[in-house]
Amino acid sequence: MPLASQHASGDALAHRRADYARMLAEGGDFSGAAELMGQALEISPDWAAGWYRLAEYAEKAADRKAAAAALGRVLALAPNDPFGATLRLAVLGAADVPAAPPSHYVQQLFDDYAQRFDKSLVDRLGYSVPQKLAALVDEGIATRHFAHVTDLGCGTGLFGERVRDRATFLEGFDLSARMLAKAREKAVYDRLARADLSLPPDESGVFDTDLPARRADLASAADVLIYLGDLSPVFAIAEKLVAAGGHFAFSVEDAGAEETYVLRPSMRYAHGEGYVRTCAEKAGFTVLQSRQTVIRMDAGTPVSGRLYLARCGEPGPSASAD
């Protein structure tokens, strides 16, 4: 019996058949690819990544039942779900939409993506959230200087670069160690640390520091909430983090009139505006600005998002939407 791991089959013949399956898939023969991938898994049945690949081929071959069964095997072999099988099952309609993706999945996704993140997003996908969110901050907040800025889900530092000259102290948090390493190379932040925004505030990592609660006069979450369904945890973090009179600037993928949130086939979440405003208000924030915009391209199609600027404490002079 070959020795398989979650990511590798441990068998040369299984890998060879998987390679042939990939070539068939690249040529558009997904049924043939699924059949060959099934043969590879007969040789190496404990190969979790192989079962996930079989699920992808089966789904594209319109065999949703086989795809769901393969994803079930993925979860049996890798219960911490670094492949996001629970999300894929929800997209297939074979499971309920989870309130948040598995943390292991998000961490691995961005660890793998860190080296090419800036170039891929900005050059290939027309990613524009950091500069658009920074422009919203410039327009919506009269002060030109912030004593303390906290960048939640900072990634490689694309938003931090745009706010650095306005901040005395700039800290960033991210779940991915490799994304933090790329941000550290830019020498933009005064402090960087790991955090999981899907957890309650005291477990998230945002407050594992000598720095106090209510320390930020500006907090940001640029293109972060698309990896969360239920926004209650991140707003609880913002409520504890942002000082009275401070601001929270963030973006979501726009779900239009949806009452809460939906999981897209891209395995990202989109949120309805009413739901976002309700979460903000429950956490003591007043939405000052809500602006619809294109946040990136996906397979040549514009993805609609919404930028928000909210203030902690008393309502501001406006709560506009456009």
Side-chain angles (χ1 to χ4, degrees), residues 149-154 157 159-160 170-174 189 218-222:
V149 177
T150 303
D151 191 4
L152 299 170
C154 64
F159 181 81
L170 174 62
E171 64 178 346
F173 292 93
D174 203 274
Y189 294 87
L218 174 66
S220 62

Side-chain angles (χ1 to χ4, degrees), residues 154-157 172-174 176-194:
C154 64
T156 62
F173 292 93
D174 203 274
S176 165
R178 291 184 183 175
M179 296 292 268
L180 289 169
K182 295 301 291 184
R184 194 168 286 113
E185 289 175 7
K186 295 180 178 179
V188 168
Y189 294 87
D190 298 295
R191 180 180 182 275
L192 289 162
R194 291 188 70 238

Side-chain angles (χ1 to χ4, degrees), residues 41 48 90 108 114 121 152 193 195 208 225 250 265 279 287-288:
L41 289 164
Q108 181 170 291
L121 251 68
L152 299 170
D208 294 347
L225 306 189
F250 58 94
C279 289
V287 173
L288 304 178

